[in-house]
Amino acid sequence: MRIGVLTGGGDCPGLNAVIRAVVRRAEVGFGDELVGIADGWRGLLEGRTLPLDVERCRGILPRGGTILGTSRTNPYAAPDGPARVLATAAELGLDAIVAIGGEDTLGVAHRLAAEGLAVVGVPKTIDNDLAGTELTFGFHTAVQTATEAIDRLHTTAESHDRVIVCEVMGRHAGWIATYAGIAGGATAILVPEEPFDLDEVCEVLRVRHAKGRYASIVVVAEGAVPKEGTLTLAAAELDAFGHPRLGGIAAVLAPEIERRTGIETRMTILGHIQRGGSPTAFDRVLATRFGVAAAEAVHDGAFDQMVALRAGQIVRVPLAEALAAPKHLDPELLHGVADWFRG
Amino acid sequence: MRIGVLTGGGDCPGLNAVIRAVVRRAEVGFGDELVGIADGWRGLLEGRTLPLDVERCRGILPRGGTILGTSRTNPYAAPDGPARVLATAAELGLDAIVAIGGEDTLGVAHRLAAEGLAVVGVPKTIDNDLAGTELTFGFHTAVQTATEAIDRLHTTAESHDRVIVCEVMGRHAGWIATYAGIAGGATAILVPEEPFDLDEVCEVLRVRHAKGRYASIVVVAEGAVPKEGTLTLAAAELDAFGHPRLGGIAAVLAPEIERRTGIETRMTILGHIQRGGSPTAFDRVLATRFGVAAAEAVHDGAFDQMVALRAGQIVRVPLAEALAAPKHLDPELLHGVADWFRG
Amino acid sequence: MRIGVLTGGGDCPGLNAVIRAVVRRAEVGFGDELVGIADGWRGLLEGRTLPLDVERCRGILPRGGTILGTSRTNPYAAPDGPARVLATAAELGLDAIVAIGGEDTLGVAHRLAAEGLAVVGVPKTIDNDLAGTELTFGFHTAVQTATEAIDRLHTTAESHDRVIVCEVMGRHAGWIATYAGIAGGATAILVPEEPFDLDEVCEVLRVRHAKGRYASIVVVAEGAVPKEGTLTLAAAELDAFGHPRLGGIAAVLAPEIERRTGIETRMTILGHIQRGGSPTAFDRVLATRFGVAAAEAVHDGAFDQMVALRAGQIVRVPLAEALAAPKHLDPELLHGVADWFRG
Amino acid sequence: MRIGVLTGGGDCPGLNAVIRAVVRRAEVGFGDELVGIADGWRGLLEGRTLPLDVERCRGILPRGGTILGTSRTNPYAAPDGPARVLATAAELGLDAIVAIGGEDTLGVAHRLAAEGLAVVGVPKTIDNDLAGTELTFGFHTAVQTATEAIDRLHTTAESHDRVIVCEVMGRHAGWIATYAGIAGGATAILVPEEPFDLDEVCEVLRVRHAKGRYASIVVVAEGAVPKEGTLTLAAAELDAFGHPRLGGIAAVLAPEIERRTGIETRMTILGHIQRGGSPTAFDRVLATRFGVAAAEAVHDGAFDQMVALRAGQIVRVPLAEALAAPKHLDPELLHGVADWFRG
């Protein structure tokens, strides 16, 4: 068979490990020919490909990023987009496509499958908010990076009796904030799923610091929002989404916490370092298993499906099911665990 | 309630995170009093305890080791052992005990439960070979440590066109070797579950190096054994278990691979660095969830059980079930994945 | 002898290693008694001390922060400050004080020495801008942390053909920016010592990206300023120092680079993670050597001096000399090296 | 000019950073043409080269190993070796050669310089025992790797009240052992420069452990040897150099320490992981500065010299001077510092 491979959406540690595994399993195991598609769906719109074989995948396992490039291009937003994608796939002689991406990329895959494209999905989201799979690769790497940063913030906060607000990724989901917050021993964890009450947070900080010299870390997901009426964000500072224009939510919270508690407060915004770097061993293994399973799904003709992790096993899940709704943060984690570590 | 906490067996990254979580959940949430028991079951035999409360657990979350100390002492091997343990527990006024340990520690817990001790188990094994739970904390940290070592070996092996044999932990189980081998891009992975054929391994190496300059890493679990008749270990070099007396299995394999293939071969034995260091974010979260759940199990009177991870959820499992048989390495991993990466 | 030890100013990886070394050398080697002074010079103003001996220093070598606490309190700004410090030192029966700190802390030490205080300095600045010593501990750790972050930014920038602006510490000195920029393979490095021309930077980026898909990293010290007339920072966004109120200089540069070049540009502000974490091996050794040398200087009566590194040797330098002027960034590094890596 | 670049001897983190810097400075700055010579001096014997330019050096800065390959081949040991090297250099039209290597590689460079080869040296030794330069790149990376391993050993040793013997690189020089031992808080450091007395070491361990539960780490350089008469190594276990045949010196010390002290003792042999991995930021900067300076030395006609670090500056040193004698471990470090940390 002749199989195209593409990566779409934001980049994520482990993409290269998936690509390498698809290629290894398909070329060595099935004798397939592989075609690299450049920059996600855009590559099929524009007919741009890259040579892809076992030799070209040497050494990429531990590397972040994606050797295929990526984009957020949606063919359904382009004139004649879907038709051009199908035409390019036919011209390239592709029998199937492995699409590695998140909600958007897999949403396109699902719609194109309905139009006849033979496509297998591999779920990718650093935010871990994709349904149908217990975990996605890249998530643990992002959590590890954020946790190491929080570990560092602890030692500096301790020396100065400070609060430090640490902003992590998560526009719609609090998974990274919750995991990194628990792993980093945060005093408060603010997530998009539950509007936060800043007075409550400040009260916890006041009680804690009244007991003596302590470092306190407040982990906040970039998409966390205050409970109505508890924190006014000056209009001038907001972008179109109601988030602070410069800095982020942390840039608003830090001075406000200092004002309300009287405790010196600093902030840090981790940003893109959470998407970069070498994937953790865990993510490399998960990404490799996903890649192997995707190549096998192609040979089983299991199209319009994605590979997924459930109870330690790799399974196949219809794309429709995975795309039905985002995976909300487990409340057991947020309250059952994090609550006891606030004081 | 008054709850004793002990850690038994080999140490493991995440023990301190479990201890902290039990203490936090019990003291802050339930108003319990905690008692630290020194050095596993030995502390109960000898009546040695340590003060344990929220304050004493400050800062231990990211630290390897166990603040309670540990030992391999089995009360059933000591004169009147079980009776003395029960007597000490009564003298200390303990309503329940949280025992954090592996097969041996939990085996003792199960037998003492039959004699009336109120005990809840927390599974601990760096080797991940305990049944009843999909994962144990510490395992991922060990895999991460081994993988980072293998990453380093790759760059040095590449410069010299060498084979490097890397020996990792796993006397009876090949989980660490398999995960670290996949994550590290090993050419061959040798595990205790399947006797290996060294000629087969050498053939793979020969074919690979004939194609050009390549580094090859052979990951071998310390308990891996050769297929009968394929490799003679000189009697003088073996210890009572049939393993090489000095060095380890790697110290035998490296010169033998060099002799059979003609390719320069070196070895490294990772040893105890795999048990040490700060737990990964993943292991800290798992350990924390286990600790919280153990404190809750005590309050639910769920004795003679252990907490476990299944499909992302923390559940309770009868100790009897967990101890029935070791958890064998998943063959999907060993063959379904690793095989395609040999060449 | 009875020796007080204090740490002042911003915290810095390696402070604990210095403390431990002073204590070890003095207590074990000379039989001295040690007194920990809380929170820098503030502790002497307020008479707050901490017990300090070999036992209390166990395990602190690899830990960031300072077990003594720190502050920026300047006794010369307090009513009767210097007199109170001298009185407290006398009351505590201190024969000498080891003051670990930067320009401010050592400046106070120098003035107090003139008033009769027996004080030995240990130079500390994460920014490496203190004269008299080739290197200060903590600097290499900060550079390492920043470099690892830049490594991560590279992989994500590559996948998206992006520019990423990375803001590092350095309000007055570009040492961290220059070292981390060289080590991280930055395309441009902006430092406080030389006003930058943003058009020049944009031209380099445009030429580079015109050649194909490349990640470009622009490393900017927080104190870097534009050449007059080349970049207007809107008044509303500036703080009293002329720096952007929210975010930092990176928050201004990123959108402006995107506007001028048309290349997607993102930013990250590393902030306090550069001060935290375990010191590198290099910094632990340097800090330990400084601590040992400081205890020996006390016994030699070498007061009003600080220990320093010159050509690999630990020497003593009069505080007056070290405080005469800041250590400017070596132009060989900035131009002789960095320039060839711009394209 | 047309410049050949080669790397010889054992590999070392930072080789790629040197190569990249030579190429960048020469091609971008001087308009030179570069030629990669494969596998050290062997490449010149056999006429094997690799294309080398700015483009081919993309992304290699943070990678361990050497893209040029390396070997220990000595042309002076091959029939007509030197003549063949000179002839190949002439055939390739090389105006000069940058030779990156240690004592052996630079020794050959020096002899070939006498025969007319225009060669500039870049000092490389992971052991830091090359004279003429205060530091060599790769050394700090090896020390960092060893220190992180020792950190891990501490946490596991503490939980079990154990001694752990950690064998590090250094056949003739104790630099790595001393730096990593100080940075890792070792109880004893054994180096090749001074035969050790095992009874003395055991006494220190006994006293220390008698005070309570402690982890003790003994760092031993692979080339450390016992004082005559203090430790008998059974003849059967020794290789031609008098070192244990399997394992290493650690494999002999660990059981012997356990026998003499009664304290449970384990060992680990770090081996080749010390040569691998990404260079530290410090080593990347040093390697880059060396590379830039080597290209400039070529253009200044400063042949038969090597670049070196002295007092923070890059200077040139005649190869003859650098090769005159190895750089012995600074006794200030070994005794002035390490001694106070034994107890």
Side-chain angles (χ1 to χ4, degrees):
Chain A
M1 292 181 81
R2 204 169 142 82
I3 305 173
V5 182
L6 65 83
T7 53
D11 77 310
C12 183
L15 285 171
N16 280 328
V18 178
I19 296 167
R20 170 178 174 269
V22 171
V23 171
R24 276 260 164 205
R25 183 65 184 91
E27 184 180 316
V28 178
F30 293 116
D32 295 334
E33 216 176 321
L34 280 302
V35 177
I37 296 164
D39 298 341
W41 293 114
R42 178 145 53 123
L44 281 183
L45 272 182
E46 303 174 357
R48 287 188 298 110
T49 63
L50 298 157
L52 187 62
D53 54 26
V54 164
E55 198 53 40
R56 279 179 177 87
C57 292
R58 275 206 194 285
I60 70 172
L61 171 62
R63 283 196 224 153
T66 160
I67 57 167
L68 299 177
T70 181
S71 74
R72 297 189 190 274
T73 302
N74 182 344
Y76 284 92
D80 279 332
R84 282 157 63 198
V85 165
L86 293 170
T88 311
E91 271 164 46
L92 293 169
L94 301 181
D95 298 303
I97 285 172
V98 173
I100 312 163
E103 208 189 341
D104 295 341
T105 304
L106 298 183
V108 169
H110 180 46
R111 291 175 71 179
L112 288 170
E115 308 199 26
L117 194 73
V119 60
V120 167
V122 176
K124 176 232 64 154
T125 154
I126 208 159
D127 291 332
N128 197 36
D129 58 348
L130 203 70
T133 184
E134 275 168 37
L135 278 173
T136 45
F137 62 88
F139 169 61
H140 272 307
T141 303
V143 169
Q144 184 67 26
T145 299
T147 300
E148 287 173 15
I150 297 172
D151 283 356
R152 284 197 175 92
L153 295 176
H154 266 294
T155 65
T156 183
E158 270 160 24
S159 305
H160 292 278
D161 196 10
R162 268 181 190 154
V163 174
I164 298 187
V165 179
C166 180
E167 183 175 317
V168 300
M169 283 194 164
R171 204 155 274 278
H172 307 294
W175 287 98
I176 292 178
T178 300
Y179 265 72
I182 292 174
T187 295
I189 300 170
L190 313 181
V191 296
E193 287 87 348
E194 281 194 350
F196 61 85
D197 181 335
L198 192 59
D199 283 326
E200 217 176 278
V201 172
C202 287
E203 181 58 22
V204 170
L205 292 170
R206 251 192 312 265
V207 169
R208 180 173 158 87
H209 285 253
K211 282 190 235 157
R213 166 187 297 273
Y214 289 125
S216 295
I217 309 292
V218 174
V219 173
V220 55
E222 53 182 339
V225 287
K227 242 183 214 165
E228 220 175 315
T230 62
L231 175 68
T232 312
L233 306 177
E237 292 165 356
L238 302 185
D239 63 16
F241 302 95
H243 286 108
R245 199 161 55 84
L246 291 181
I249 180 72
V252 175
L253 287 181
E256 192 60 23
I257 289 174
E258 180 164 323
R259 197 181 65 76
R260 295 191 191 183
T261 62
I263 310 166
E264 206 180 14
T265 305
R266 293 283 182 276
M267 63 126 187
T268 202
I269 299 173
L270 295 182
H272 285 266
I273 62 171
Q274 296 164 85
R275 286 197 179 279
S278 185
T280 61
F282 181 95
D283 278 338
R284 295 188 202 176
V285 173
L286 181 58
T288 299
R289 295 173 74 189
F290 274 174
V292 166
E296 293 174 346
V298 164
H299 278 265
D300 288 350
F303 300 120
D304 201 13
Q305 303 188 32
M306 74 172 198
V307 296
L309 180 76
R310 290 197 181 164
Q313 302 300 317
I314 306 297
V315 297
R316 292 171 192 163
V317 175
L319 279 174
E321 184 184 318
L323 294 163
K327 186 172 61 180
H328 289 298
L329 178 66
D330 188 336
E332 177 235 0
L333 275 170
L334 192 58
H335 293 293
V337 176
D339 281 3
W340 309 108
F341 297 88
R342 296 202 135 197
Chain B
M1 293 181 78
R2 204 170 142 82
I3 305 172
V5 183
L6 66 82
T7 52
D11 77 311
C12 183
L15 285 170
N16 280 327
V18 178
I19 295 167
R20 170 178 173 271
V22 172
V23 172
R24 276 260 164 205
R25 183 66 184 92
E27 185 180 314
V28 178
F30 294 116
D32 294 335
E33 217 175 322
L34 281 301
V35 177
I37 296 163
D39 297 342
W41 293 114
R42 179 145 52 123
L44 281 182
L45 272 182
E46 301 174 359
R48 287 187 300 110
T49 62
L50 297 157
L52 187 62
D53 53 27
V54 165
E55 198 53 38
R56 279 180 177 85
C57 291
R58 276 206 193 284
I60 68 172
L61 171 61
R63 284 197 222 148
T66 160
I67 58 168
L68 299 176
T70 181
S71 74
R72 298 189 188 274
T73 302
N74 182 343
Y76 284 92
D80 279 332
R84 282 157 62 199
V85 164
L86 292 170
T88 310
E91 271 165 45
L92 292 170
L94 300 181
D95 299 303
I97 285 173
V98 173
I100 311 163
E103 207 189 342
D104 294 340
T105 304
L106 297 182
V108 169
H110 180 47
R111 291 176 70 178
L112 288 169
E115 308 199 27
L117 194 72
V119 62
V120 167
V122 176
K124 177 232 62 153
T125 155
I126 209 159
D127 291 332
N128 196 34
D129 60 348
L130 203 70
T133 184
E134 275 168 35
L135 278 173
T136 45
F137 63 89
F139 168 62
H140 272 306
T141 303
V143 169
Q144 183 67 28
T145 300
T147 300
E148 287 173 14
I150 296 171
D151 282 356
R152 286 199 174 91
L153 296 175
H154 266 294
T155 66
T156 185
E158 271 160 23
S159 306
H160 292 278
D161 197 10
R162 268 182 190 153
V163 173
I164 299 188
V165 180
C166 178
E167 182 174 319
V168 300
M169 283 194 163
R171 204 155 275 277
H172 306 294
W175 287 98
I176 291 178
T178 300
Y179 265 72
I182 293 173
T187 295
I189 300 170
L190 313 180
V191 297
E193 287 87 345
E194 284 193 348
F196 62 85
D197 180 335
L198 192 59
D199 283 326
E200 218 177 277
V201 172
C202 288
E203 180 58 20
V204 170
L205 293 170
R206 248 190 314 262
V207 169
R208 180 173 157 86
H209 284 253
K211 284 191 235 159
R213 168 188 296 275
Y214 290 125
S216 296
I217 309 293
V218 175
V219 174
V220 56
E222 57 184 333
V225 288
K227 243 184 214 167
E228 218 174 315
T230 63
L231 175 69
T232 311
L233 306 177
E237 292 164 357
L238 302 185
D239 64 16
F241 302 95
H243 287 108
R245 199 160 57 83
L246 290 181
I249 180 72
V252 174
L253 287 181
E256 192 60 22
I257 288 174
E258 180 164 323
R259 199 181 62 78
R260 295 191 191 185
T261 63
I263 310 167
E264 206 181 15
T265 305
R266 294 284 182 276
M267 65 125 186
T268 201
I269 299 172
L270 294 183
H272 285 267
I273 61 170
Q274 295 164 88
R275 286 197 178 279
S278 184
T280 61
F282 181 96
D283 278 339
R284 294 188 202 176
V285 173
L286 181 58
T288 299
R289 294 173 76 189
F290 274 174
V292 165
E296 292 173 348
V298 165
H299 278 267
D300 288 349
F303 300 119
D304 201 14
Q305 303 187 31
M306 75 172 195
V307 296
L309 179 76
R310 291 195 179 166
Q313 302 300 317
I314 306 297
V315 299
R316 293 170 191 164
V317 175
L319 280 173
E321 183 184 318
L323 295 164
K327 184 173 61 179
H328 289 296
L329 178 65
D330 187 338
E332 177 234 1
L333 274 171
L334 193 58
H335 294 292
V337 177
D339 280 2
W340 308 108
F341 298 88
R342 296 204 134 196
Chain C
M1 293 181 77
R2 201 168 144 83
I3 305 173
V5 183
L6 65 83
T7 52
D11 77 312
C12 184
L15 285 170
N16 280 328
V18 178
I19 296 168
R20 169 178 174 271
V22 172
V23 171
R24 275 263 165 202
R25 183 66 184 91
E27 184 179 315
V28 178
F30 294 115
D32 295 333
E33 217 175 321
L34 281 302
V35 176
I37 296 164
D39 298 341
W41 293 115
R42 178 143 54 122
L44 281 183
L45 273 182
E46 302 174 358
R48 286 187 299 110
T49 62
L50 298 157
L52 187 62
D53 54 25
V54 165
E55 198 53 39
R56 278 179 178 86
C57 292
R58 273 202 196 289
I60 70 172
L61 171 61
R63 282 196 223 150
T66 160
I67 58 167
L68 299 177
T70 182
S71 75
R72 297 187 189 275
T73 302
N74 182 342
Y76 284 91
D80 280 332
R84 281 157 64 198
V85 164
L86 292 170
T88 310
E91 271 165 44
L92 292 169
L94 300 181
D95 298 302
I97 286 173
V98 173
I100 311 163
E103 207 189 340
D104 295 341
T105 304
L106 297 183
V108 169
H110 180 48
R111 291 175 72 178
L112 289 169
E115 308 199 27
L117 194 73
V119 62
V120 167
V122 177
K124 175 233 66 155
T125 155
I126 209 160
D127 290 332
N128 197 36
D129 59 349
L130 204 69
T133 184
E134 275 168 36
L135 278 174
T136 45
F137 63 87
F139 168 62
H140 272 307
T141 303
V143 170
Q144 184 67 28
T145 299
T147 301
E148 288 174 13
I150 296 171
D151 282 356
R152 284 198 174 91
L153 295 176
H154 266 294
T155 65
T156 183
E158 270 160 25
S159 307
H160 291 277
D161 196 11
R162 268 181 191 154
V163 173
I164 299 187
V165 179
C166 179
E167 182 175 318
V168 300
M169 283 193 164
R171 204 155 274 277
H172 306 294
W175 287 98
I176 292 179
T178 301
Y179 266 71
I182 293 172
T187 294
I189 300 171
L190 312 181
V191 297
E193 288 86 349
E194 283 194 349
F196 59 85
D197 180 336
L198 193 59
D199 282 325
E200 218 176 276
V201 172
C202 287
E203 180 57 22
V204 170
L205 292 169
R206 249 192 313 263
V207 169
R208 181 173 156 88
H209 284 253
K211 284 191 236 156
R213 167 188 297 275
Y214 290 125
S216 296
I217 308 293
V218 175
V219 173
V220 56
E222 55 183 338
V225 288
K227 243 184 214 166
E228 219 174 314
T230 63
L231 175 69
T232 313
L233 306 176
E237 293 165 356
L238 303 185
D239 64 17
F241 302 95
H243 286 107
R245 200 160 57 83
L246 289 181
I249 180 71
V252 174
L253 288 181
E256 192 60 23
I257 289 174
E258 180 163 324
R259 198 180 63 77
R260 295 191 191 184
T261 62
I263 310 166
E264 207 180 15
T265 304
R266 294 281 183 277
M267 64 126 187
T268 201
I269 298 172
L270 295 182
H272 286 267
I273 62 171
Q274 295 164 88
R275 286 196 179 281
S278 185
T280 60
F282 181 96
D283 278 339
R284 296 188 202 176
V285 173
L286 181 59
T288 298
R289 293 173 75 189
F290 274 174
V292 165
E296 292 173 349
V298 164
H299 278 265
D300 289 349
F303 300 120
D304 200 14
Q305 301 188 34
M306 74 172 198
V307 296
L309 179 76
R310 291 198 181 164
Q313 301 300 317
I314 306 297
V315 298
R316 293 170 193 164
V317 176
L319 279 174
E321 182 184 319
L323 294 164
K327 185 172 61 180
H328 290 297
L329 179 64
D330 188 337
E332 177 234 359
L333 275 170
L334 192 58
H335 294 292
V337 177
D339 281 2
W340 308 109
F341 298 89
R342 295 203 135 196
Chain D
M1 293 182 78
R2 206 168 141 83
I3 306 173
V5 183
L6 65 81
T7 53
D11 76 312
C12 184
L15 285 171
N16 280 328
V18 178
I19 296 167
R20 169 179 174 272
V22 172
V23 172
R24 275 260 165 204
R25 183 66 184 90
E27 183 180 317
V28 178
F30 293 115
D32 294 336
E33 218 175 321
L34 281 302
V35 176
I37 296 164
D39 297 342
W41 293 115
R42 178 145 52 123
L44 280 182
L45 273 181
E46 302 174 358
R48 287 188 298 109
T49 62
L50 297 157
L52 187 63
D53 54 25
V54 165
E55 199 52 41
R56 278 180 177 86
C57 291
R58 276 204 194 287
I60 70 173
L61 171 61
R63 283 195 224 149
T66 160
I67 58 167
L68 299 177
T70 183
S71 74
R72 298 187 189 275
T73 302
N74 182 344
Y76 285 91
D80 280 330
R84 281 159 62 199
V85 164
L86 293 171
T88 311
E91 271 165 46
L92 292 169
L94 300 181
D95 298 302
I97 285 173
V98 174
I100 312 163
E103 207 188 343
D104 294 341
T105 303
L106 297 183
V108 169
H110 181 48
R111 291 175 71 178
L112 288 169
E115 308 200 25
L117 195 70
V119 61
V120 167
V122 176
K124 177 234 64 157
T125 155
I126 209 160
D127 291 332
N128 197 36
D129 59 349
L130 202 70
T133 184
E134 276 168 38
L135 279 173
T136 45
F137 64 88
F139 169 62
H140 272 306
T141 303
V143 169
Q144 184 67 27
T145 300
T147 301
E148 287 173 15
I150 296 172
D151 283 355
R152 285 199 174 90
L153 295 175
H154 266 293
T155 64
T156 184
E158 272 161 22
S159 306
H160 291 278
D161 197 8
R162 269 182 190 154
V163 174
I164 299 188
V165 180
C166 179
E167 183 175 318
V168 300
M169 283 193 164
R171 205 156 275 278
H172 306 294
W175 288 98
I176 291 178
T178 300
Y179 265 73
I182 292 173
T187 294
I189 300 170
L190 313 180
V191 296
E193 286 87 346
E194 284 193 349
F196 61 84
D197 180 337
L198 193 59
D199 283 326
E200 218 176 276
V201 172
C202 288
E203 181 57 22
V204 170
L205 292 169
R206 250 191 313 262
V207 169
R208 179 172 158 89
H209 284 254
K211 285 191 235 156
R213 167 189 297 275
Y214 291 124
S216 295
I217 309 293
V218 175
V219 174
V220 56
E222 55 183 336
V225 288
K227 244 184 214 165
E228 218 174 315
T230 62
L231 176 68
T232 312
L233 306 177
E237 292 164 356
L238 303 186
D239 63 17
F241 302 94
H243 286 109
R245 200 160 55 83
L246 290 181
I249 180 72
V252 175
L253 288 181
E256 192 61 23
I257 289 174
E258 179 164 324
R259 199 181 63 77
R260 294 191 191 184
T261 63
I263 311 166
E264 204 180 15
T265 305
R266 294 284 182 275
M267 64 124 185
T268 201
I269 298 172
L270 294 183
H272 286 267
I273 62 170
Q274 295 164 88
R275 285 196 179 280
S278 184
T280 61
F282 181 95
D283 278 338
R284 295 188 202 176
V285 173
L286 182 58
T288 298
R289 294 174 74 189
F290 274 174
V292 166
E296 293 174 348
V298 165
H299 278 265
D300 289 350
F303 301 120
D304 201 14
Q305 302 188 31
M306 75 172 196
V307 296
L309 180 77
R310 289 197 182 165
Q313 303 300 316
I314 306 298
V315 298
R316 294 171 191 163
V317 176
L319 279 173
E321 183 185 317
L323 295 164
K327 186 172 61 180
H328 288 298
L329 178 66
D330 186 338
E332 178 232 0
L333 275 170
L334 192 59
H335 294 292
V337 176
D339 281 2
W340 308 109
F341 298 89
R342 295 202 135 196

